[in-house]
Amino acid sequence: MKVAFIGLGAMGYPMARHVAGQHDVIVWNRTTEVAERHAREYGTRRAEQLRDCASQEVILTILPTSDDVDEIVDVLYPKLRRGTLWIDATSGDPVTSRKTAGRLAEKGVAFVDAPVTGGTNGAEAGTLTVMVGGKPEDYVRAGEVLKAFGSRLVHVGEVGAGHAVKAMNNAMLAANMWMAAECLLSLKKLGINLRSALEVLNSGSGRSFASQDLLPKRILDGEWPLTFKLSLHDKDVRIAASMSHSQRVASPMLSLTSQLFTAASKNLGPGADYVEAIKYLAMLNSEEW
Ligand code: NDP
């Protein structure tokens, strides 16, 4: 298929490489040099103009937010062709996506939201899990592209459902991580060796991805890579809290987690990685990891 891939960030860059292995891909990125580098490294073609993307059979976006996606829709809109499929792999906002899908439908363009989980390692390896919201026939069509970087594709419902599940996944990640860090900080203050503590906790029922993977690398090995911006994680938790609020679900943990991540993100700035939220917890306690 002819695919336009828009957004070559930490996730999009490796994902576009996998798509280019199976389809005819043109790439566009706001910072042109990144698209040029992608074309050089992986034999993709750089779209000269953003609007050149409008003529492809499939348009795939992976940008920070749904508002950023809408800005791209605005530019491409006049040139969009009936029968095109728009796949949005952004971790976006279901409410915005449903409006976007409605607007695109007026042009005969189908829309699926298809956010991913698995991090930059999964994007590199082509082993992401993709949760798709959209019509069944559009899910099947999108699968032809998504399987290039996804080893597990799940159709979770109508448009917006993918974004909803993704936001809740990341809210759970945030809460698990923060809670594990609070417990570890307390154990540290009690003078207990954290390597031994984690050995026990990670074979116990309190374990999580955060305690098994993220926190040992940061706290024990002192590795603090930037793989996923804290500001983006904060955005996901805010979407989750707002969805829950809109359904009138009493969800104090979600609200609290959202407030903690917003405070951490504001405090640590735009260059912080998501796991650095636990540095903010340490700061609240006048501690360091
Ligand atoms: P990055 O910040 O690494 O990349 C963002 C990309 O979007 C860049 O290509 C950037 O272009 C482009 N961009 C930013 N703003 C605009 C705009 N206004 N108009 C056009 N292009 C823009 O983000 P990630 O790749 O980490 O994340 C992308 C999405 O994937 C987010 O929704 C995130 O929540 C989600 N995600 C991220 C994961 C991760 O581990 N990093 C895991 C799963 C999902 P430029 O090069 O010019 O800056």
Side-chain angles (χ1 to χ4, degrees):
M1 280 194 258
K2 288 184 184 304
V3 180
F5 198 109
I6 299 175
L8 302 172
M11 294 298 286
Y13 199 90
M15 285 163 64
R17 165 169 61 89
H18 290 296
V19 178
Q22 300 183 11
H23 299 278
D24 182 4
V25 174
I26 59 170
V27 291
W28 184 87
N29 194 68
R30 183 180 61 177
T31 305
T32 305
E33 295 76 47
V34 178
E36 283 169 351
R37 179 154 52 86
H38 199 278
R40 262 197 321 276
E41 284 182 7
Y42 302 127
T44 48
R45 280 176 299 122
R46 179 177 73 81
E48 291 284 324
Q49 307 283 338
L50 175 54
R51 58 176 181 272
D52 296 342
C53 294
S55 58
Q56 305 303 295
E57 293 167 279
V58 174
I59 299 168
L60 193 154
T61 37
I62 176 156
L63 300 172
T65 68
S66 291
D67 287 345
D68 299 324
V69 174
D70 270 354
E71 282 177 23
I72 302 291
V73 172
D74 288 344
V75 176
L76 300 192
Y77 202 78
K79 288 189 161 256
L80 285 172
R81 299 199 309 202
R82 180 163 290 280
T84 300
L85 172 65
W86 194 302
I87 301 175
D88 182 27
T90 304
S91 297
D93 175 13
V95 177
T96 310
S97 290
R98 283 193 284 272
K99 285 187 197 144
T100 306
R103 196 147 71 101
L104 290 171
E106 288 169 17
K107 291 282 266 190
V109 172
F111 177 95
V112 296
D113 46 310
V116 299
T117 184
T120 48
N121 288 341
E124 288 289 347
T127 55
L128 293 168
T129 294
V130 192
M131 55 221 91
V132 186
K135 292 190 177 136
E137 62 273 25
D138 298 333
Y139 168 68
V140 171
R141 227 170 119 204
E144 287 305 305
V145 174
L146 298 173
K147 69 183 185 192
F149 51 75
S151 53
R152 183 192 298 260
L153 314 181
V154 186
H155 185 210
V156 288
E158 288 301 310
V159 168
H163 284 157
V165 175
K166 172 66 191 182
M168 291 305 178
N169 175 77
N170 279 19
M172 288 166 67
L173 167 64
N176 290 341
M177 186 167 75
W178 188 277
M179 182 53 136
E182 280 188 11
C183 293
L184 289 174
L185 193 62
S186 306
L187 289 169
K188 186 174 175 229
K189 291 290 280 176
L190 285 163
I192 292 169
N193 177 282
L194 291 189
R195 195 171 291 277
S196 314
L198 275 165
E199 191 180 336
V200 175
L201 295 171
N202 282 333
S203 58
S205 47
R207 69 185 183 275
S208 62
F209 172 63
S211 72
Q212 290 181 302
D213 190 299
L214 300 177
L215 301 191
K217 276 188 198 135
R218 269 58 168 195
I219 297 170
L220 302 182
D221 304 338
E223 290 171 20
W224 295 89
L226 172 57
T227 65
F228 174 37
K229 290 171 186 155
L230 176 56
S231 58
L232 294 178
H233 199 178
D234 170 39
K235 168 257 312 175
D236 294 333
V237 187
R238 277 186 287 113
I239 292 171
S242 137
M243 283 190 306
S244 177
H245 185 69
S246 74
Q247 296 308 308
R248 302 190 69 236
V249 174
S251 45
M253 280 292 293
L254 250 179
S255 299
L256 180 58
T257 307
S258 174
Q259 293 195 20
L260 290 169
F261 270 68
T262 296
S265 179
K266 283 192 166 168
N267 205 278
L268 296 170
D273 180 67
Y274 73 122
V275 190
E276 290 188 68
I278 70 162
K279 286 188 179 171
Y280 179 66
L281 165 68
M283 281 162 59
L284 292 177
N285 288 282
S286 305
E287 288 287 331
E288 283 182 11
W289 291 107

